[in-house]
Amino acid sequence: MTYLDSAPFAARDIAVAPFLPPAAGIWVSARRVTSLWALAHLGPAGLAARLRAHTAAPDSLEAAT
C-alpha cells in the first residue's frame, strides 16, 4: 500500500487497513485483479458503463459482467 497516503484518513480518524483475500478456492486469482485491470481491460467508457449497470441493479451479478 505504498501508493496510498494515509495522512488524510488519519486526520479524520479513519483507519486504513490492507485487505488480502483468501488464497484458496474462488479467491485464487483475486490478488491479481484490481480496478486498474478493469480499466485497462474495458477502457474508461466500458468500465463506466458496467459500473452504471451495476449500480442500477446492485443485487444482480449479471449486470456487472
Side-chain angles (χ1 to χ4, degrees):
M1 292 186 17
T2 58
Y3 61 87
L4 178 68
D5 179 6
S6 60
F9 297 95
R12 290 167 180 80
D13 293 323
I14 299 171
V16 176
F19 170 78
L20 292 176
I26 64 169
W27 297 101
V28 171
S29 64
R31 291 180 185 214
R32 295 188 314 253
V33 176
T34 69
S35 57
L36 294 177
W37 174 89
L39 182 60
H41 183 74
L42 301 171
L47 180 57
R50 291 200 185 184
L51 290 172
R52 279 192 301 275
H54 181 65
T55 57
D59 293 334
S60 172
L61 291 176
E62 291 179 334
T65 58

